[in-house]
Amino acid sequence: MNKAFLFLFWLNFISTQVMAISTIETGLTEFKSVFFISRSNNEDDNEVSPIEEQLFMLLNATLASSINFDSYKSNLERALKLIESEPDHCTYNVLKSAQREQKMIFSAYPSSIFPERQILFTDPKFNYLPQTVSIDELIKEHSVGLVPAYYGETLTAEDRLNPNLIFISGLENHNQLVHMLLKKRFDFIFDYRATALDFLNGQKTTLYSRNISDVGAYQAGFFVCSRSELGQYVISKINALFKTDPFKLFIKKFHFEAFDHAQAQEALNIYQRDFNLQITPTKSTEETK
């Protein structure tokens, strides 16, 4: 009986010490969990993309000593609402705005650099359009499909009420855009050319594109977490992770898998030019891939 009591006392002592260590490191009052919301676009609700799986493994390894790491899939709109309202949610590739900065914490460096999105179409009758167009001009006469989180903030209230502007939301929003374009439900869609080509999946369809006058050459998406003590801690860990070679290698791989070579290379140049972060890993890191 005494031995059993001593064993339980010792087990409780060890657990208390582990909790105390994690509390000292994080500054939090208890050992907590953080939930990273997936941005994968595949159809399986329980499966993330291989590149995202690598990201979650790196994040988990960074946080495992002090915080339980978990992830699940949701659409961006719901993800942002959870991050704004809950203390323990995070995601990545979120565009920064003054309004969002008041409600969530952003990483110091982008999780990705998005190349310029374009107006895309498959009907050659629209080839008369100039090389640069504006969405607000297009929707005066033509239907345009888009994901609201990627462009909606730049639209006026009048534009948003235009029936020719159709917002697509949900886990498969990009796929839906391309599918509805092929079915001629839209005249145009607003998306990445590389993303649309990926969803076309080798179909014998010519995809035409035009640049957009009111969108910059690139946009940066960041890691974001809830505006809480836990969120601040997680973001501080992510900021430090950006300085490590394994994570730089991941960022490089992410861009070269998501975009074409020229766009990916330009993204790495922007990291160095605008964020003073050299992404290209050291030679020794490249050799150990």
Side-chain angles (χ1 to χ4, degrees), residues 10-181:
W10 178 246
L11 183 62
N12 181 64
F13 176 78
I14 293 175
S15 300
T16 301
Q17 294 307 303
V18 171
M19 183 70 74
I21 291 171
S22 65
T23 300
I24 292 170
E25 181 184 352
T26 64
L28 304 172
T29 57
E30 60 183 42
F31 197 75
K32 294 188 176 182
S33 295
V34 62
F35 300 94
F36 261 83
I37 301 176
S38 167
R39 301 295 304 278
S40 287
N41 286 320
N42 52 34
E43 295 181 0
D44 190 337
D45 289 345
N46 299 310
E47 181 183 354
V48 301
S49 64
I51 191 70
E52 187 174 80
E53 185 176 3
Q54 293 178 42
L55 170 63
F56 286 167
M57 288 176 62
L58 285 166
L59 292 172
N60 188 25
T62 300
L63 299 169
S65 64
S66 51
I67 294 178
N68 293 321
F69 181 94
D70 201 358
S71 65
Y72 63 92
K73 296 182 72 169
S74 184
N75 60 55
L76 179 59
E77 183 179 4
R78 175 162 172 74
L80 295 180
K81 287 181 179 178
L82 286 168
I83 291 168
E84 291 177 7
S85 60
E86 302 295 330
D88 52 4
H89 283 71
C90 301
T91 191
Y92 66 101
N93 284 358
V94 174
L95 302 181
K96 186 183 293 187
S97 69
Q99 182 180 17
R100 287 178 178 172
E101 284 189 285
Q102 293 177 0
K103 299 178 179 179
M104 57 193 74
I105 302 172
F106 283 76
S107 57
Y109 308 101
S111 50
S112 68
I113 301 292
F114 301 109
E116 182 180 9
R117 298 174 185 85
Q118 296 178 306
I119 282 292
L120 306 174
F121 57 99
T122 58
D123 193 332
K125 73 180 182 183
F126 295 124
N127 270 327
Y128 70 87
L129 290 169
Q131 287 302 307
T132 300
V133 298
S134 67
I135 288 183
D136 60 347
E137 285 295 321
L138 282 179
I139 60 178
K140 291 178 180 179
E141 298 182 8
H142 305 289
S143 59
V144 178
L146 70 160
V147 177
Y150 292 156
Y151 190 80
E153 291 180 353
T154 68
L155 295 169
T156 66
E158 183 179 358
D159 288 336
R160 287 175 177 272
L161 295 175
N162 191 313
N164 284 333
L165 191 67
I166 299 97
F167 294 112
I168 298 297
S169 300
L171 288 176
E172 293 298 309
N173 41 37
H174 294 280
N175 197 359
Q176 288 182 55
L177 281 177
V178 175
H179 179 73
M180 294 177 77
L181 179 66

